[in-house]
Amino acid sequence: MSFPMSKSTIIRLAWLPLCLLLVACHTDMYDQPRYSANQPSDFFEDGRSMRPPPPNTVAMGTFDPNSAMFSGRLEGDLVAELPMELTAELLAHGQTRYNAFCAPCHGLTGAGNGVAAYRGGMQVPTLHDERLRTAPIGYYFDVITNGVNRMYSYAHRIPPEDRWAIAAYTRALQLSQYTVAEALHAEELAELP
Amino acid sequence: MSAQIFPRNANVIFMLSLIGLTLMSIGIIAALIGIYLSPWYTEVGDAKAQPIPFSHKHHVDELKIDCLYCHSTVEQAAHAGFPSTDTCMSCHSQIWTNSPLLEPARVSLQTGEPIVWNRIYDLPDFVFFNHSIHVAKGIGCASCHAGTDQQHLTAKAQALWMGWCLGCHRNPEEHIRPRDEIFNMAYNPLSLPLSERLALVAEYQIATDGRLTNCYACHR
């Protein structure tokens, strides 16, 4: 391009900054015509974009809602055996879930003295009495899934696998508060008061 | 003899105007950048009014309730999970049952109408952020939501500039933490020596070959 530029060249180039300005003004990619999680909707009658499953929805395929894994029961009876392998990882995972979801009421040790119980003046049963120590492990799964008394169902917050992890950890908590002295190692025995 | 069109100081005025115009354009651009970066535009620290004045300070810092209790899908889903009315009421059906502040939650539970909260963070739709992968790879809540546990009313902790995202995608070892510290809001990632943090990056199998800074990592 020779200097000085002809008038027509200048006029042609003058569009460039204007173009840059104009293309920068589009925001339609910021808010695309689709829903984000929890976004309100004016399309659906109840105002929700996250749709609950229609009534009477049934699972397809191999999923069996009546299996021990998903119901905590076998032919109506609470299961007494953990329907998965008991590992140290499962117990550690159960501890994180218990501390997050259960400890606010049941307390970190299961004594029923969690902060929500304290603030609400609630009598939360201890996990360390005879009734709960002897309850089958399926009972814990059932209570987490369906709730009991004043306790709400936690089924929509805790997946079934994690509910079993919590049930297994509950057993570990119970063992920690109720062990016969003869079952301890010598060095553990020495630490007893 | 015709009169002069321009006064004697016309040249000076012309030069000064040129300088003035230049300074003014620089000033305007600087002011625009300033506005763009300011909390007035980014809304950082600017608490929004909510139908119920929920306090993270009270629930997280004072009562020590785990993040997971309400944000229960943070480990499985892109979205951390906004608590439903049912979650609020699993405690508040027993505690503060007559509080007028909680009236919207009680009404919501009875009618099934959701409480409409005001969104704090709204990423552009061309950015795909996923909570679960960050939590799974050793990035804690506090890396992005620092100070949320100290807020009485929730406000943005970060402006979410792309450069800020890239800072961590370039140097994940500055923000990595052990798995059991993910939900600890008080943990300082730099309390570990660099060698251990690099070992964590390797242990979490975080890509260090530049994949994390591909446009495609976030823009799809």
Side-chain angles (χ1 to χ4, degrees), chain A residues 29-32 34 36-39 48 97 100-101 115-116 119-120 122 150 152 154 156-157, chain B residues 58 63 66 68-69 72 75 79 82 86-87 89-90 93-95 112 114 119 124-126 128:
Chain A
M29 291 293 280
Y30 280 72
D31 293 303
Q32 295 167 22
R34 61 174 166 81
S36 312
N38 292 112
Q39 192 174 331
R48 305 174 205 207
R97 303 299 107 165
F101 293 107
V115 67
R119 302 284 290 228
M122 282 183 270
R150 289 181 292 187
Y152 275 34
Y154 280 71
H156 67 291
R157 271 176 277 175
Chain B
H58 177 62
L63 301 185
D66 200 284
L68 270 178
Y69 190 88
S72 55
E75 288 173 310
H79 196 63
F82 201 87
D86 189 81
T87 301
M89 294 303 280
S90 39
S93 59
Q94 307 297 327
I95 306 173
R119 190 176 279 271
D125 280 354
F126 49 79
F128 289 79

mmCIF file of all heavy atoms in Angstrom, chain A residues 29-32 34 36-39 48 97 100-101 115-116 119-120 122 150 152 154 156-157, chain B residues 58 63 66 68-69 72 75 79 82 86-87 89-90 93-95 112 114 119 124-126 128:
data_model
loop_
_atom_site.group_PDB
_atom_site.id
_atom_site.type_symbol
_atom_site.label_atom_id
_atom_site.label_comp_id
_atom_site.label_asym_id
_atom_site.label_seq_id
_atom_site.Cartn_x
_atom_site.Cartn_y
_atom_site.Cartn_z
ATOM 1 N N MET A 29 -24.226 -16.302 22.671
ATOM 2 C CA MET A 29 -23.521 -17.530 23.039
ATOM 3 C C MET A 29 -23.404 -17.662 24.567
ATOM 4 O O MET A 29 -23.146 -18.733 25.090
ATOM 5 C CB MET A 29 -22.129 -17.555 22.423
ATOM 6 C CG MET A 29 -22.114 -17.706 20.924
ATOM 7 S SD MET A 29 -22.721 -19.324 20.411
ATOM 8 C CE MET A 29 -21.247 -20.297 20.683
ATOM 9 N N TYR A 30 -23.526 -16.541 25.270
ATOM 10 C CA TYR A 30 -23.465 -16.593 26.740
ATOM 11 C C TYR A 30 -24.686 -17.302 27.292
ATOM 12 O O TYR A 30 -24.596 -18.068 28.232
ATOM 13 C CB TYR A 30 -23.389 -15.171 27.313
ATOM 14 C CG TYR A 30 -22.019 -14.566 27.254
ATOM 15 C CD1 TYR A 30 -21.471 -14.162 26.046
ATOM 16 C CD2 TYR A 30 -21.260 -14.398 28.402
ATOM 17 C CE1 TYR A 30 -20.216 -13.604 25.981
ATOM 18 C CE2 TYR A 30 -20.003 -13.841 28.344
ATOM 19 C CZ TYR A 30 -19.483 -13.440 27.136
ATOM 20 O OH TYR A 30 -18.237 -12.906 27.076
ATOM 21 N N ASP A 31 -25.844 -16.971 26.738
ATOM 22 C CA ASP A 31 -27.083 -17.579 27.202
ATOM 23 C C ASP A 31 -27.722 -18.309 26.038
ATOM 24 O O ASP A 31 -28.529 -17.761 25.313
ATOM 25 C CB ASP A 31 -28.021 -16.513 27.762
ATOM 26 C CG ASP A 31 -27.463 -15.895 29.025
ATOM 27 O OD1 ASP A 31 -27.190 -16.650 29.968
ATOM 28 O OD2 ASP A 31 -27.281 -14.673 29.056
ATOM 29 N N GLN A 32 -27.311 -19.554 25.865
ATOM 30 C CA GLN A 32 -27.806 -20.337 24.743
ATOM 31 C C GLN A 32 -29.169 -20.922 25.092
ATOM 32 O O GLN A 32 -29.503 -21.074 26.267
ATOM 33 C CB GLN A 32 -26.798 -21.445 24.411
ATOM 34 C CG GLN A 32 -25.474 -20.865 23.926
ATOM 35 C CD GLN A 32 -24.358 -21.893 23.890
ATOM 36 O OE1 GLN A 32 -24.599 -23.093 23.829
ATOM 37 N NE2 GLN A 32 -23.124 -21.418 23.936
ATOM 38 N N ARG A 34 -30.739 -23.338 26.061
ATOM 39 C CA ARG A 34 -30.796 -24.623 26.757
ATOM 40 C C ARG A 34 -30.759 -24.332 28.249
ATOM 41 O O ARG A 34 -30.405 -23.233 28.654
ATOM 42 C CB ARG A 34 -29.606 -25.517 26.368
ATOM 43 C CG ARG A 34 -28.254 -24.918 26.732
ATOM 44 C CD ARG A 34 -27.154 -25.930 26.456
ATOM 45 N NE ARG A 34 -25.838 -25.342 26.457
ATOM 46 C CZ ARG A 34 -25.140 -25.072 27.554
ATOM 47 N NH1 ARG A 34 -25.659 -25.302 28.728
ATOM 48 N NH2 ARG A 34 -23.943 -24.549 27.467
ATOM 49 N N SER A 36 -29.515 -24.703 32.181
ATOM 50 C CA SER A 36 -28.475 -25.120 33.101
ATOM 51 C C SER A 36 -29.170 -25.811 34.276
ATOM 52 O O SER A 36 -30.384 -25.711 34.427
ATOM 53 C CB SER A 36 -27.693 -23.922 33.624
ATOM 54 O OG SER A 36 -27.309 -23.080 32.563
ATOM 55 N N ALA A 37 -28.363 -26.501 35.119
ATOM 56 C CA ALA A 37 -28.934 -27.174 36.277
ATOM 57 C C ALA A 37 -29.647 -26.161 37.166
ATOM 58 O O ALA A 37 -29.143 -25.054 37.382
ATOM 59 C CB ALA A 37 -27.830 -27.879 37.062
ATOM 60 N N ASN A 38 -30.816 -26.545 37.651
ATOM 61 C CA ASN A 38 -31.603 -25.725 38.575
ATOM 62 C C ASN A 38 -32.169 -24.442 37.979
ATOM 63 O O ASN A 38 -32.690 -23.597 38.697
ATOM 64 C CB ASN A 38 -30.799 -25.347 39.834
ATOM 65 C CG ASN A 38 -30.503 -26.529 40.706
ATOM 66 O OD1 ASN A 38 -29.371 -26.941 40.839
ATOM 67 N ND2 ASN A 38 -31.540 -27.106 41.294
ATOM 68 N N GLN A 39 -32.025 -24.266 36.672
ATOM 69 C CA GLN A 39 -32.529 -23.033 36.074
ATOM 70 C C GLN A 39 -34.069 -23.062 36.023
ATOM 71 O O GLN A 39 -34.651 -24.085 35.690
ATOM 72 C CB GLN A 39 -31.961 -22.906 34.656
ATOM 73 C CG GLN A 39 -32.166 -21.537 34.047
ATOM 74 C CD GLN A 39 -31.456 -21.436 32.700
ATOM 75 O OE1 GLN A 39 -30.445 -22.087 32.472
ATOM 76 N NE2 GLN A 39 -31.998 -20.624 31.817
ATOM 77 N N ARG A 48 -40.031 -25.776 36.753
ATOM 78 C CA ARG A 48 -38.720 -26.417 36.903
ATOM 79 C C ARG A 48 -38.214 -26.899 35.550
ATOM 80 O O ARG A 48 -38.970 -27.505 34.782
ATOM 81 C CB ARG A 48 -38.807 -27.660 37.795
ATOM 82 C CG ARG A 48 -39.395 -27.406 39.118
ATOM 83 C CD ARG A 48 -39.549 -28.727 39.841
ATOM 84 N NE ARG A 48 -40.624 -28.608 40.823
ATOM 85 C CZ ARG A 48 -40.687 -29.331 41.923
ATOM 86 N NH1 ARG A 48 -39.775 -30.228 42.166
ATOM 87 N NH2 ARG A 48 -41.673 -29.168 42.760
ATOM 88 N N ARG A 97 -18.853 -40.407 54.687
ATOM 89 C CA ARG A 97 -20.291 -40.203 54.478
ATOM 90 C C ARG A 97 -20.997 -40.028 55.822
ATOM 91 O O ARG A 97 -21.862 -39.188 55.976
ATOM 92 C CB ARG A 97 -20.926 -41.408 53.756
ATOM 93 C CG ARG A 97 -20.335 -41.773 52.419
ATOM 94 C CD ARG A 97 -20.443 -40.681 51.436
ATOM 95 N NE ARG A 97 -19.116 -40.098 51.225
ATOM 96 C CZ ARG A 97 -18.789 -39.307 50.233
ATOM 97 N NH1 ARG A 97 -19.682 -38.960 49.343
ATOM 98 N NH2 ARG A 97 -17.572 -38.819 50.124
ATOM 99 N N ALA A 100 -20.427 -36.642 57.220
ATOM 100 C CA ALA A 100 -21.097 -35.572 56.493
ATOM 101 C C ALA A 100 -22.605 -35.599 56.729
ATOM 102 O O ALA A 100 -23.212 -34.563 56.989
ATOM 103 C CB ALA A 100 -20.802 -35.684 55.001
ATOM 104 N N PHE A 101 -23.211 -36.772 56.622
ATOM 105 C CA PHE A 101 -24.679 -36.835 56.587
ATOM 106 C C PHE A 101 -25.296 -37.210 57.935
ATOM 107 O O PHE A 101 -26.422 -36.827 58.217
ATOM 108 C CB PHE A 101 -25.139 -37.846 55.527
ATOM 109 C CG PHE A 101 -24.826 -37.413 54.117
ATOM 110 C CD1 PHE A 101 -23.818 -38.029 53.393
ATOM 111 C CD2 PHE A 101 -25.536 -36.382 53.524
ATOM 112 C CE1 PHE A 101 -23.520 -37.617 52.098
ATOM 113 C CE2 PHE A 101 -25.257 -35.963 52.240
ATOM 114 C CZ PHE A 101 -24.251 -36.579 51.519
ATOM 115 N N VAL A 115 -24.505 -31.805 66.615
ATOM 116 C CA VAL A 115 -24.752 -30.381 66.843
ATOM 117 C C VAL A 115 -26.210 -30.026 66.558
ATOM 118 O O VAL A 115 -26.812 -29.211 67.261
ATOM 119 C CB VAL A 115 -23.767 -29.526 66.016
ATOM 120 C CG1 VAL A 115 -24.027 -29.657 64.520
ATOM 121 C CG2 VAL A 115 -23.858 -28.061 66.412
ATOM 122 N N ALA A 116 -26.824 -30.675 65.570
ATOM 123 C CA ALA A 116 -28.220 -30.363 65.256
ATOM 124 C C ALA A 116 -29.123 -30.879 66.363
ATOM 125 O O ALA A 116 -30.100 -30.214 66.745
ATOM 126 C CB ALA A 116 -28.619 -30.969 63.913
ATOM 127 N N ARG A 119 -28.718 -28.333 69.193
ATOM 128 C CA ARG A 119 -29.376 -27.048 68.950
ATOM 129 C C ARG A 119 -30.894 -27.189 68.923
ATOM 130 O O ARG A 119 -31.609 -26.260 69.271
ATOM 131 C CB ARG A 119 -28.904 -26.456 67.611
ATOM 132 C CG ARG A 119 -27.420 -26.253 67.512
ATOM 133 C CD ARG A 119 -26.976 -25.060 68.294
ATOM 134 N NE ARG A 119 -27.405 -23.814 67.705
ATOM 135 C CZ ARG A 119 -26.602 -22.780 67.520
ATOM 136 N NH1 ARG A 119 -25.329 -22.865 67.843
ATOM 137 N NH2 ARG A 119 -27.073 -21.664 67.014
ATOM 138 N N GLY A 120 -31.351 -28.344 68.454
ATOM 139 C CA GLY A 120 -32.789 -28.532 68.348
ATOM 140 C C GLY A 120 -33.412 -29.141 69.596
ATOM 141 O O GLY A 120 -34.617 -29.358 69.640
ATOM 142 N N MET A 122 -33.150 -32.142 70.580
ATOM 143 C CA MET A 122 -33.739 -33.432 70.194
ATOM 144 C C MET A 122 -33.109 -34.570 70.990
ATOM 145 O O MET A 122 -31.927 -34.530 71.299
ATOM 146 C CB MET A 122 -33.492 -33.692 68.706
ATOM 147 C CG MET A 122 -34.395 -32.936 67.787
ATOM 148 S SD MET A 122 -34.031 -33.419 66.098
ATOM 149 C CE MET A 122 -32.782 -32.266 65.647
ATOM 150 N N ARG A 150 -38.578 -38.981 63.285
ATOM 151 C CA ARG A 150 -38.382 -37.617 62.802
ATOM 152 C C ARG A 150 -37.301 -37.517 61.730
ATOM 153 O O ARG A 150 -37.099 -36.481 61.135
ATOM 154 C CB ARG A 150 -37.991 -36.707 63.971
ATOM 155 C CG ARG A 150 -39.150 -36.461 64.904
ATOM 156 C CD ARG A 150 -38.743 -35.548 66.015
ATOM 157 N NE ARG A 150 -37.792 -36.169 66.918
ATOM 158 C CZ ARG A 150 -37.390 -35.609 68.052
ATOM 159 N NH1 ARG A 150 -37.832 -34.440 68.402
ATOM 160 N NH2 ARG A 150 -36.528 -36.221 68.832
ATOM 161 N N TYR A 152 -35.595 -37.761 58.293
ATOM 162 C CA TYR A 152 -36.030 -37.770 56.898
ATOM 163 C C TYR A 152 -35.312 -38.876 56.120
ATOM 164 O O TYR A 152 -34.288 -39.385 56.559
ATOM 165 C CB TYR A 152 -35.690 -36.429 56.243
ATOM 166 C CG TYR A 152 -36.723 -35.348 56.444
ATOM 167 C CD1 TYR A 152 -37.452 -35.262 57.621
ATOM 168 C CD2 TYR A 152 -36.936 -34.399 55.462
ATOM 169 C CE1 TYR A 152 -38.379 -34.255 57.803
ATOM 170 C CE2 TYR A 152 -37.863 -33.381 55.638
ATOM 171 C CZ TYR A 152 -38.594 -33.315 56.812
ATOM 172 O OH TYR A 152 -39.492 -32.327 56.978
ATOM 173 N N TYR A 154 -32.847 -40.152 53.397
ATOM 174 C CA TYR A 154 -31.641 -39.597 52.764
ATOM 175 C C TYR A 154 -31.390 -40.243 51.409
ATOM 176 O O TYR A 154 -30.297 -40.143 50.861
ATOM 177 C CB TYR A 154 -30.434 -39.764 53.702
ATOM 178 C CG TYR A 154 -30.413 -38.696 54.767
ATOM 179 C CD1 TYR A 154 -31.340 -38.700 55.806
ATOM 180 C CD2 TYR A 154 -29.498 -37.655 54.711
ATOM 181 C CE1 TYR A 154 -31.364 -37.704 56.754
ATOM 182 C CE2 TYR A 154 -29.519 -36.643 55.654
ATOM 183 C CZ TYR A 154 -30.448 -36.680 56.670
ATOM 184 O OH TYR A 154 -30.473 -35.676 57.607
ATOM 185 N N HIS A 156 -32.294 -39.590 48.400
ATOM 186 C CA HIS A 156 -31.943 -38.766 47.240
ATOM 187 C C HIS A 156 -30.601 -38.079 47.416
ATOM 188 O O HIS A 156 -30.100 -37.463 46.489
ATOM 189 C CB HIS A 156 -33.029 -37.738 46.963
ATOM 190 C CG HIS A 156 -33.157 -36.685 48.023
ATOM 191 N ND1 HIS A 156 -33.622 -36.959 49.272
ATOM 192 C CD2 HIS A 156 -32.856 -35.365 48.008
ATOM 193 C CE1 HIS A 156 -33.617 -35.841 49.987
ATOM 194 N NE2 HIS A 156 -33.149 -34.868 49.256
ATOM 195 N N ARG A 157 -30.010 -38.163 48.601
ATOM 196 C CA ARG A 157 -28.702 -37.529 48.803
ATOM 197 C C ARG A 157 -27.572 -38.551 48.865
ATOM 198 O O ARG A 157 -26.428 -38.216 48.607
ATOM 199 C CB ARG A 157 -28.715 -36.718 50.104
ATOM 200 C CG ARG A 157 -29.178 -35.299 49.901
ATOM 201 C CD ARG A 157 -29.275 -34.582 51.208
ATOM 202 N NE ARG A 157 -30.553 -34.867 51.860
ATOM 203 C CZ ARG A 157 -30.881 -34.450 53.068
ATOM 204 N NH1 ARG A 157 -29.994 -33.769 53.774
ATOM 205 N NH2 ARG A 157 -32.044 -34.714 53.581
ATOM 206 N N HIS B 58 -22.739 -19.603 59.593
ATOM 207 C CA HIS B 58 -23.384 -20.308 60.698
ATOM 208 C C HIS B 58 -23.335 -21.822 60.495
ATOM 209 O O HIS B 58 -22.923 -22.570 61.381
ATOM 210 C CB HIS B 58 -24.838 -19.838 60.823
ATOM 211 C CG HIS B 58 -25.599 -20.564 61.886
ATOM 212 N ND1 HIS B 58 -25.240 -20.504 63.207
ATOM 213 C CD2 HIS B 58 -26.687 -21.382 61.822
ATOM 214 C CE1 HIS B 58 -26.078 -21.249 63.906
ATOM 215 N NE2 HIS B 58 -26.954 -21.794 63.093
ATOM 216 N N LEU B 63 -21.428 -24.515 62.991
ATOM 217 C CA LEU B 63 -22.019 -25.824 63.273
ATOM 218 C C LEU B 63 -21.203 -26.979 62.696
ATOM 219 O O LEU B 63 -21.473 -28.139 62.990
ATOM 220 C CB LEU B 63 -23.457 -25.895 62.733
ATOM 221 C CG LEU B 63 -24.433 -24.857 63.287
ATOM 222 C CD1 LEU B 63 -25.830 -25.132 62.768
ATOM 223 C CD2 LEU B 63 -24.437 -24.866 64.805
ATOM 224 N N ASP B 66 -20.815 -30.582 57.142
ATOM 225 C CA ASP B 66 -19.990 -30.847 55.967
ATOM 226 C C ASP B 66 -20.631 -30.253 54.705
ATOM 227 O O ASP B 66 -21.856 -30.224 54.567
ATOM 228 C CB ASP B 66 -19.866 -32.371 55.822
ATOM 229 C CG ASP B 66 -18.675 -32.769 54.981
ATOM 230 O OD1 ASP B 66 -18.756 -32.628 53.746
ATOM 231 O OD2 ASP B 66 -17.690 -33.228 55.576
ATOM 232 N N LEU B 68 -20.840 -31.558 51.945
ATOM 233 C CA LEU B 68 -21.588 -32.606 51.246
ATOM 234 C C LEU B 68 -23.033 -32.713 51.701
ATOM 235 O O LEU B 68 -23.881 -33.195 50.959
ATOM 236 C CB LEU B 68 -20.916 -33.959 51.497
ATOM 237 C CG LEU B 68 -19.843 -34.430 50.537
ATOM 238 C CD1 LEU B 68 -19.319 -35.760 51.022
ATOM 239 C CD2 LEU B 68 -20.413 -34.561 49.141
ATOM 240 N N TYR B 69 -23.294 -32.298 52.942
ATOM 241 C CA TYR B 69 -24.649 -32.487 53.465
ATOM 242 C C TYR B 69 -25.670 -31.842 52.533
ATOM 243 O O TYR B 69 -26.741 -32.394 52.287
ATOM 244 C CB TYR B 69 -24.767 -31.899 54.879
ATOM 245 C CG TYR B 69 -26.064 -32.282 55.546
ATOM 246 C CD1 TYR B 69 -26.160 -33.452 56.279
ATOM 247 C CD2 TYR B 69 -27.205 -31.500 55.408
ATOM 248 C CE1 TYR B 69 -27.348 -33.832 56.861
ATOM 249 C CE2 TYR B 69 -28.404 -31.874 55.987
ATOM 250 C CZ TYR B 69 -28.470 -33.039 56.719
ATOM 251 O OH TYR B 69 -29.655 -33.431 57.287
ATOM 252 N N SER B 72 -24.633 -32.456 47.721
ATOM 253 C CA SER B 72 -24.324 -33.884 47.789
ATOM 254 C C SER B 72 -23.934 -34.493 46.456
ATOM 255 O O SER B 72 -23.481 -35.623 46.422
ATOM 256 C CB SER B 72 -25.518 -34.642 48.375
ATOM 257 O OG SER B 72 -26.672 -34.363 47.615
ATOM 258 N N GLU B 75 -19.406 -34.792 44.087
ATOM 259 C CA GLU B 75 -18.416 -35.796 43.697
ATOM 260 C C GLU B 75 -18.841 -36.599 42.473
ATOM 261 O O GLU B 75 -18.045 -37.332 41.915
ATOM 262 C CB GLU B 75 -18.166 -36.766 44.864
ATOM 263 C CG GLU B 75 -17.376 -36.138 45.985
ATOM 264 C CD GLU B 75 -17.281 -37.055 47.182
ATOM 265 O OE1 GLU B 75 -18.334 -37.556 47.608
ATOM 266 O OE2 GLU B 75 -16.164 -37.264 47.668
ATOM 267 N N HIS B 79 -22.609 -30.403 38.396
ATOM 268 C CA HIS B 79 -23.208 -29.431 39.288
ATOM 269 C C HIS B 79 -23.029 -29.909 40.720
ATOM 270 O O HIS B 79 -23.246 -31.077 41.004
ATOM 271 C CB HIS B 79 -24.696 -29.350 38.914
ATOM 272 C CG HIS B 79 -25.383 -28.158 39.459
ATOM 273 N ND1 HIS B 79 -25.047 -26.881 39.102
ATOM 274 C CD2 HIS B 79 -26.407 -28.041 40.338
ATOM 275 C CE1 HIS B 79 -25.838 -26.027 39.735
ATOM 276 N NE2 HIS B 79 -26.672 -26.705 40.483
ATOM 277 N N PHE B 82 -27.683 -28.278 44.283
ATOM 278 C CA PHE B 82 -28.288 -27.269 45.128
ATOM 279 C C PHE B 82 -29.299 -27.961 46.027
ATOM 280 O O PHE B 82 -30.115 -28.733 45.557
ATOM 281 C CB PHE B 82 -28.958 -26.187 44.271
ATOM 282 C CG PHE B 82 -29.135 -24.932 45.043
ATOM 283 C CD1 PHE B 82 -28.116 -24.000 45.078
ATOM 284 C CD2 PHE B 82 -30.275 -24.705 45.783
ATOM 285 C CE1 PHE B 82 -28.251 -22.846 45.832
ATOM 286 C CE2 PHE B 82 -30.405 -23.554 46.536
ATOM 287 C CZ PHE B 82 -29.402 -22.624 46.558
ATOM 288 N N ASP B 86 -36.388 -30.265 50.909
ATOM 289 C CA ASP B 86 -36.330 -31.440 51.767
ATOM 290 C C ASP B 86 -35.050 -31.455 52.607
ATOM 291 O O ASP B 86 -35.056 -31.815 53.785
ATOM 292 C CB ASP B 86 -36.399 -32.683 50.866
ATOM 293 C CG ASP B 86 -36.562 -33.951 51.658
ATOM 294 O OD1 ASP B 86 -37.705 -34.233 52.042
ATOM 295 O OD2 ASP B 86 -35.550 -34.623 51.895
ATOM 296 N N THR B 87 -33.927 -31.042 51.982
ATOM 297 C CA THR B 87 -32.652 -31.018 52.697
ATOM 298 C C THR B 87 -32.685 -29.989 53.828
ATOM 299 O O THR B 87 -32.249 -30.271 54.944
ATOM 300 C CB THR B 87 -31.513 -30.694 51.716
ATOM 301 O OG1 THR B 87 -31.501 -31.687 50.700
ATOM 302 C CG2 THR B 87 -30.176 -30.664 52.408
ATOM 303 N N MET B 89 -35.287 -28.933 55.350
ATOM 304 C CA MET B 89 -36.268 -29.317 56.355
ATOM 305 C C MET B 89 -35.857 -30.574 57.113
ATOM 306 O O MET B 89 -36.472 -30.898 58.123
ATOM 307 C CB MET B 89 -37.642 -29.518 55.707
ATOM 308 C CG MET B 89 -38.238 -28.232 55.152
ATOM 309 S SD MET B 89 -38.413 -26.929 56.386
ATOM 310 C CE MET B 89 -39.904 -27.469 57.197
ATOM 311 N N SER B 90 -34.829 -31.304 56.653
ATOM 312 C CA SER B 90 -34.431 -32.477 57.428
ATOM 313 C C SER B 90 -33.878 -32.040 58.784
ATOM 314 O O SER B 90 -33.904 -32.819 59.737
ATOM 315 C CB SER B 90 -33.458 -33.402 56.675
ATOM 316 O OG SER B 90 -32.528 -32.698 55.933
ATOM 317 N N SER B 93 -37.283 -29.085 60.236
ATOM 318 C CA SER B 93 -38.573 -29.553 60.699
ATOM 319 C C SER B 93 -38.530 -29.695 62.225
ATOM 320 O O SER B 93 -39.551 -29.867 62.873
ATOM 321 C CB SER B 93 -38.908 -30.903 60.049
ATOM 322 O OG SER B 93 -37.909 -31.843 60.368
ATOM 323 N N GLN B 94 -37.290 -29.635 62.799
ATOM 324 C CA GLN B 94 -37.125 -29.778 64.245
ATOM 325 C C GLN B 94 -36.566 -28.514 64.891
ATOM 326 O O GLN B 94 -36.823 -28.241 66.054
ATOM 327 C CB GLN B 94 -36.162 -30.948 64.550
ATOM 328 C CG GLN B 94 -36.532 -32.254 63.904
ATOM 329 C CD GLN B 94 -37.856 -32.775 64.398
ATOM 330 O OE1 GLN B 94 -38.226 -32.569 65.557
ATOM 331 N NE2 GLN B 94 -38.610 -33.427 63.517
ATOM 332 N N ILE B 95 -35.750 -27.775 64.134
ATOM 333 C CA ILE B 95 -35.035 -26.634 64.700
ATOM 334 C C ILE B 95 -35.580 -25.356 64.083
ATOM 335 O O ILE B 95 -35.719 -25.288 62.860
ATOM 336 C CB ILE B 95 -33.524 -26.741 64.393
ATOM 337 C CG1 ILE B 95 -32.990 -28.086 64.861
ATOM 338 C CG2 ILE B 95 -32.757 -25.606 65.014
ATOM 339 C CD1 ILE B 95 -31.569 -28.339 64.461
ATOM 340 N N GLY B 112 -44.922 -28.030 47.543
ATOM 341 C CA GLY B 112 -44.118 -28.633 46.493
ATOM 342 C C GLY B 112 -43.561 -27.615 45.511
ATOM 343 O O GLY B 112 -42.873 -27.980 44.555
ATOM 344 N N PRO B 114 -40.888 -25.123 44.355
ATOM 345 C CA PRO B 114 -39.503 -24.898 44.752
ATOM 346 C C PRO B 114 -39.260 -23.454 45.217
ATOM 347 O O PRO B 114 -39.945 -22.533 44.770
ATOM 348 C CB PRO B 114 -38.702 -25.181 43.478
ATOM 349 C CG PRO B 114 -39.665 -25.430 42.394
ATOM 350 C CD PRO B 114 -41.050 -25.403 42.941
ATOM 351 N N ARG B 119 -29.200 -16.961 41.718
ATOM 352 C CA ARG B 119 -27.947 -17.595 41.330
ATOM 353 C C ARG B 119 -26.780 -16.652 41.618
ATOM 354 O O ARG B 119 -26.841 -15.461 41.321
ATOM 355 C CB ARG B 119 -27.994 -17.927 39.843
ATOM 356 C CG ARG B 119 -26.880 -18.799 39.348
ATOM 357 C CD ARG B 119 -27.088 -19.138 37.893
ATOM 358 N NE ARG B 119 -28.033 -20.239 37.703
ATOM 359 C CZ ARG B 119 -27.672 -21.522 37.683
ATOM 360 N NH1 ARG B 119 -26.413 -21.848 37.792
ATOM 361 N NH2 ARG B 119 -28.561 -22.466 37.503
ATOM 362 N N PRO B 124 -20.750 -18.356 31.425
ATOM 363 C CA PRO B 124 -21.287 -18.337 30.062
ATOM 364 C C PRO B 124 -21.559 -19.765 29.593
ATOM 365 O O PRO B 124 -20.875 -20.702 30.009
ATOM 366 C CB PRO B 124 -20.156 -17.719 29.243
ATOM 367 C CG PRO B 124 -19.312 -16.991 30.212
ATOM 368 C CD PRO B 124 -19.441 -17.710 31.520
ATOM 369 N N ASP B 125 -22.561 -19.930 28.732
ATOM 370 C CA ASP B 125 -22.969 -21.280 28.322
ATOM 371 C C ASP B 125 -21.920 -21.996 27.473
ATOM 372 O O ASP B 125 -22.046 -23.187 27.217
ATOM 373 C CB ASP B 125 -24.293 -21.212 27.552
ATOM 374 C CG ASP B 125 -25.471 -21.091 28.506
ATOM 375 O OD1 ASP B 125 -25.241 -21.172 29.723
ATOM 376 O OD2 ASP B 125 -26.599 -20.916 28.035
ATOM 377 N N PHE B 126 -20.887 -21.267 27.002
ATOM 378 C CA PHE B 126 -19.861 -21.952 26.220
ATOM 379 C C PHE B 126 -18.695 -22.421 27.087
ATOM 380 O O PHE B 126 -17.692 -22.902 26.583
ATOM 381 C CB PHE B 126 -19.344 -21.051 25.077
ATOM 382 C CG PHE B 126 -18.980 -19.656 25.514
ATOM 383 C CD1 PHE B 126 -17.769 -19.417 26.140
ATOM 384 C CD2 PHE B 126 -19.842 -18.601 25.303
ATOM 385 C CE1 PHE B 126 -17.421 -18.146 26.551
ATOM 386 C CE2 PHE B 126 -19.510 -17.318 25.707
ATOM 387 C CZ PHE B 126 -18.298 -17.086 26.333
ATOM 388 N N PHE B 128 -17.726 -25.129 30.050
ATOM 389 C CA PHE B 128 -18.240 -26.330 30.683
ATOM 390 C C PHE B 128 -17.387 -26.652 31.902
ATOM 391 O O PHE B 128 -16.318 -27.230 31.785
ATOM 392 C CB PHE B 128 -18.266 -27.495 29.695
ATOM 393 C CG PHE B 128 -19.325 -27.317 28.640
ATOM 394 C CD1 PHE B 128 -19.116 -26.476 27.565
ATOM 395 C CD2 PHE B 128 -20.543 -27.967 28.755
ATOM 396 C CE1 PHE B 128 -20.096 -26.289 26.611
ATOM 397 C CE2 PHE B 128 -21.536 -27.778 27.803
ATOM 398 C CZ PHE B 128 -21.318 -26.942 26.729
#
